Structure formats: C-alpha cells, structure tokens
Amino acid sequence: MDLFLFPSESIFGEAKDNEKVYKTKRIHRKNAPILFFSCIRFLFLIYFPIFASDMAQPLAERMRPKTLDEYIGQRHLVGEGAVLRKMIDAGRVSSFLLWGPPGVGKTTLAQIIAHKLDTPFYTLSAVTSGVKDVRDVIERAKSGRFFNETSPILFIDEIHRFSKSQQDSLLGAVEKGIVTLIGATTENPSFEVIRPLLSRCQLYVLKSLEKDDLLQLLHRAITEDVELKERKIDVKETGAILRYSGGDARKLLNILELVVESESGDVVITDELVENRLQQNPLAYDKDGEMHYDIISAFIKSIRGSDPDAALYWMARMIEGGEDPQFIARRMIISASEDIGLANPNALLLANAAFDAVMKIGWPEGRIPLAECAVYLATSPKSNSAYMGINSALELVKNTGNQPVPLHLRNAPTQLMAELGYSDGYKYAHDYPGNFVEQQFLPDTLKDKRLWHAQHTPSEEKLYQRMIQCWGKRFED
C-alpha cells in the first residue's frame, strides 16, 4: 500500500533551476498505522470537546425545542391560527412581552422566533446588563442591518429587573424599529415595566403547563433524549413528579434527570421513588413577587367569603413558602376590621390576641393561634359598614374641602375664645336622659349628610335600633 503526504516543508526537495519542486515521499506500509492513529487523534481532539459539551448539558437544555412543532403548551398563542403563530408564519413580528411563571417556554419561544425569521438574535439578562450593554447592542443592530431586512431581535430575560433608566434606553430603538424587543418576565408588567415601554409592546400571557403537556414532555424526554433513550425507564406513576413540577417544564425535566441519575440499571418511576429522592417540595412562593400578593389576596377573600377550608389552605401555602408570620397576623387584624367589623366586634380582639401570641411563642407553634383566628374570622358574620363609612367620609372631605367647625363644638381654653362664642350652646350629653341629646355635630353645609349605613346583622341591628331611637328619621334607611 502506497500512501502520500500532502506537500509540506518536510518534503520539499532540493531546488532545481531556482524553482522549488515538490517531491512526494512514499511511506512504507509499516508506517501506515502511525499515520492512521495520528489522524484519529487529530479528529478526537477536534470533535470530542463539542460532543462532550453536548453531553454535559442538563436534560432541560438538551430537550429545548428548536421549532414550533416541537414546542409544548401555550396553544392559545402558538397553536394553529393563534395570534403569535400567524405573525411568525407571516415573517413579521412586532415588539412584545411574554409574561408567565418560570419554566413555561418564554426564552425558548423567543429563540424559535429568531431562528424561524432568520434574523440576528441578541440576548441580554436584566440581572447582569446595564444601560451601556443595551446601547452597545442597539448600535450593533443599527450598523449590521441592511435596507428592508427584518429588524434584529433583542431578547431581554427578566426585564422586570431593569431599572427605569435601563428601560428608558430601549424606547427609541423599539419605536423606530431598530430592534424588535422580546421581553420575558415572571412579574406583572403593569407594576414592573414603565408605561411608555408597555405601550410600545404587545403583552402575551403564558400559562403553567397543564397535565397533558407535562406528560407529553415526559414521554418525549424518555424516548428521544440522547442519554435517556439508552436507559430502560418505566413510568409506573406520575402523580408525584407532576405535583412537584407545578406546571414548570424545566422543573419536571430536572426532577426526571435527578431520579434517573440516582438509579443504577433499570429505572421504575413511582411516586414513592420521586418523593424519596426529592425529600421535600420547595413551593413556588416569592415574598417580594406577584405570587406573594396573589396568595394573600386569596387568603383574605376566603375569609371574606366565609370559607374556613380555603382560608386554612392559603394560610398553609404561605407558611410552607416561608412567609413572615407577623405579616399573616397583621392582615388578619385588617380583615377583622374591614370584613367582620361591627357584625362581630370580638373578631378584632381575637386577631390582636393572635398577633400577640405569635410574637410571644414564636414558630412553629405560632401557626396554631393563627389558624384559630383564621377559622374564627371566616365563620363570623360579616359587615363592612365601618369600612364603607370611612371611605365615604374621605371622599366627602376631598370633595368639600375644609368646612368650618360649628362654634358650639369648638374648644374654648381662653377668655377671648369664650367671648367669640366658642363652645357656646354645646349640650353635654351626660346631663340628659339616656346620655343623649339631639344637636348638630356636622358642619353647617353637611348637617344632613349620612355616612354610616348599618348592615343588619344581629349584632349590628342593635346599634342601628339605638340610632333610630336617638335620631329618629335621620337614620332610617
């Protein structure tokens, strides 16, 4: 077998007539194995790092969809005939924000759109990028764009973490179409994104993945992933893995990878196996984020709606999520006044007592007086007459301004004030039968105004009847 080397300095022959002449050098058959293994070594050094890097990626990254056909969930946005699908198929997308919980495909969707439109794709993280980074990307987008070419896509992950000045730096480029902005956020854009930027972008809401979506993803990972398909994996039960994932695709794949890697040989996935490997389920609860406000809202509305079961459930969600017990106790004090009010005045006393108990005994025993208070408030009769009354009074003050205090109600600590008529004609209620005497207490222009309207619960009805006894027709509803 004769093999030949490509010309190189080592095989240059001697120059003849001042010209270099290539001389091929025969390699003897016995040297062929050396050359063969040298080539193998060269290819190994070139391609193994690429292969190894792919293998080193976590399962969630390896399973990231590349096309809309592979994309799971969000059919209301990317299904056949859906709004985003039409825009992508037409080859033109305007700037938009993707709002949804973690692990539902916000970043993946942005990457698929960029690939589908075959346009430059710039990525910034709001956590690590500043105004300078934003301006650098915008300048690169300006200089690299040709006429009639689709605008480059600028994807900003966690855009809610951008400050006002950082968001301001995007306005001109988005408005002029220099870049197409795709922003991803887990927080309510109404609170976290400045209004001028929000008005320049469409807002699309992504939902947590449903059970069928997660099962489809689970099956695809087991049958198509380059590593998992080499293992024998039998899914006997899915309740625990679905519950722990909480509609989050990334979490589902991470759990699957953890369970598979913890087992040698064949893998049989059961609820017990998943629970043993994970030990506990760290619930999604951000004490500074939107879920914090959503859950406390559900808790208070359950109390207001007289559902003790729901009140206990939402309280447990806050406790498991690490919420400050004092925050829960303070909100129950507010609810006791706002929602139970005069229908059961003892509710406020119990709420205050629960707060004091938590402060004294600490955690975890503090959950017991909190639960007692929550059940008491939820099962109590309800009245918001005091709450509505103060709101009406505040509105009246805003609309009528600083009305003068009637002279007979004014304080008269000096002789001059007494001579000016301060406190003149005031009737001391305790000097009259029943500790009541009719007189004017509101300003002259508002003397017939009603602000408190009784709600006729048994407890409040007694207060209402006393007002009828004292004031007669003025308090009749």
Side-chain angles (χ1 to χ4, degrees):
M1 180 177 67
D2 292 332
L3 297 176
F4 298 91
L5 285 174
F6 288 107
S8 67
E9 290 187 2
S10 64
I11 60 173
F12 279 139
E14 295 181 355
K16 294 182 179 179
D17 299 327
N18 296 322
E19 293 181 359
K20 285 188 174 181
V21 179
Y22 285 5
K23 294 176 65 178
T24 55
K25 181 179 180 181
R26 289 183 179 278
I27 300 178
H28 193 271
R29 184 186 300 270
K30 68 180 182 181
N31 294 326
I34 299 174
L35 177 62
F36 174 76
F37 286 111
S38 296
C39 293
I40 293 297
R41 181 173 179 272
F42 173 78
L43 293 173
F44 180 83
L45 292 173
I46 293 297
Y47 290 105
F48 180 75
I50 299 173
F51 176 76
S53 66
D54 288 340
M55 296 293 287
Q57 289 181 328
L59 176 61
E61 190 60 32
R62 297 198 304 270
M63 290 300 300
R64 189 181 292 277
K66 304 294 191 297
T67 67
L68 284 178
D69 292 333
E70 297 176 358
Y71 191 84
I72 295 176
Q74 317 308 331
R75 308 315 299 169
H76 63 295
L77 295 179
V78 296
E80 293 297 330
V83 55
L84 261 180
R85 186 66 174 255
K86 288 182 178 180
M87 291 170 59
I88 296 168
D89 290 343
R92 290 281 178 181
V93 296
S94 56
S95 295
F96 60 86
L97 301 176
L98 298 172
W99 172 29
V104 297
K106 299 184 291 296
T107 302
T108 298
L109 183 56
Q111 292 177 350
I112 290 174
I113 291 172
H115 178 73
K116 177 77 174 178
L117 300 183
D118 192 23
T119 186
F121 184 78
Y122 301 100
T123 302
L124 290 177
S125 172
V127 177
T128 58
S129 305
V131 173
K132 182 180 183 299
D133 300 303
V134 174
R135 289 173 177 165
D136 287 345
V137 169
I138 292 173
E139 286 302 316
R140 276 188 283 163
K142 279 182 183 178
S143 59
R145 185 183 175 192
F146 295 98
F147 293 109
N148 299 322
E149 189 178 44
T150 304
S151 299
I153 290 176
L154 171 57
F155 175 70
I156 300 180
D157 196 17
E158 299 194 70
I159 194 171
H160 60 276
R161 297 184 183 273
F162 260 9
S163 65
K164 182 179 183 299
S165 61
Q166 288 171 311
Q167 294 184 36
D168 282 336
S169 65
L170 294 165
L171 294 177
V174 172
E175 187 165 17
K176 295 174 184 176
I178 296 171
V179 295
T180 297
L181 173 66
I182 301 179
T185 176
T186 56
E187 301 298 331
N188 191 331
S190 301
F191 304 133
E192 306 295 342
V193 179
I194 60 173
R195 291 184 63 85
L197 185 58
L198 200 57
S199 69
R200 289 165 171 80
C201 300
Q202 294 293 323
L203 176 63
Y204 299 114
V205 180
L206 281 72
K207 305 173 183 176
S208 296
L209 298 188
E210 298 178 355
K211 178 181 178 181
D212 290 343
D213 298 327
L214 294 172
L215 290 176
Q216 181 184 352
L217 178 61
L218 185 65
H219 179 264
R220 181 181 294 178
I222 293 172
T223 57
E224 298 181 10
D225 177 65
V226 64
E227 291 188 35
L228 296 192
K229 68 182 181 180
E230 300 299 324
R231 303 283 301 273
K232 185 177 180 181
I233 302 173
D234 184 14
V235 181
K236 290 287 189 182
E237 297 172 321
T238 59
I241 196 170
L242 294 180
R243 183 175 72 252
Y244 279 66
S245 65
D248 183 328
R250 186 185 302 108
K251 186 179 288 187
L252 176 83
L253 294 174
N254 289 342
I255 293 171
L256 174 62
E257 187 172 33
L258 172 66
V259 171
V260 172
E261 288 181 350
S262 68
E263 298 293 301
S264 58
D266 297 347
V267 182
V268 179
I269 297 179
T270 63
D271 291 347
E272 182 180 4
L273 176 63
V274 172
E275 290 167 357
N276 286 340
R277 293 296 176 266
L278 296 184
Q279 298 298 316
Q280 62 179 357
N281 183 15
L283 296 177
Y285 190 81
D286 180 359
K287 289 189 285 184
D288 296 318
E290 184 187 3
M291 187 169 289
H292 161 81
Y293 297 103
D294 285 345
I295 291 182
I296 192 62
S297 175
F299 174 62
I300 295 301
K301 288 173 180 173
S302 299
I303 291 175
R304 184 180 300 140
S306 299
D307 189 336
D309 296 329
L312 287 172
Y313 170 78
W314 293 117
M315 176 182 283
R317 283 283 300 273
M318 288 187 285
I319 291 172
E320 282 296 301
E323 183 57 82
D324 182 359
Q326 294 182 43
F327 171 77
I328 301 173
R330 284 195 299 270
R331 292 307 299 258
M332 286 199 291
I333 292 174
I334 296 170
S335 179
S337 296
E338 177 183 343
D339 298 315
I340 289 86
L342 296 172
N344 181 7
N346 288 331
L348 182 57
L349 300 177
L350 186 64
N352 269 295
F355 184 91
D356 290 340
V358 170
M359 295 294 291
K360 290 175 181 176
I361 67 177
W363 210 244
E365 289 79 3
R367 74 190 189 283
I368 303 170
L370 287 181
E372 178 185 354
C373 182
V375 171
Y376 186 82
L377 297 184
T379 55
S380 289
K382 305 296 188 295
S383 171
N384 69 342
S385 64
Y387 170 77
M388 296 298 292
I390 187 58
N391 288 347
S392 298
L394 289 170
E395 188 66 24
L396 181 64
V397 168
K398 290 176 184 176
N399 293 334
T400 59
N402 296 322
Q403 297 295 312
V405 178
L407 283 175
H408 68 283
L409 297 181
R410 297 186 188 186
N411 189 28
T414 67
Q415 182 65 30
L416 176 61
M417 290 179 175
E419 292 174 356
L420 292 174
Y422 282 34
S423 195
D424 188 27
Y426 171 67
K427 301 173 184 177
Y428 187 59
H430 297 294
D431 290 340
Y432 296 86
N435 305 90
F436 174 80
V437 60
E438 187 170 345
Q439 60 184 320
Q440 178 185 328
F441 291 99
L442 283 168
D444 292 341
T445 57
L446 305 173
K447 62 182 181 179
D448 297 320
K449 190 70 177 176
R450 284 284 311 281
L451 296 173
W452 177 70
H453 296 272
Q455 295 174 3
H456 302 285
T457 60
S459 177
E460 200 165 353
E461 182 67 21
K462 296 177 182 179
L463 306 179
Y464 172 69
Q465 291 301 328
R466 170 165 166 73
M467 291 299 97
I468 293 293
Q469 180 183 349
C470 292
W471 295 96
K473 292 184 177 180
R474 178 188 161 193
F475 268 82
E476 287 182 359
D477 291 329

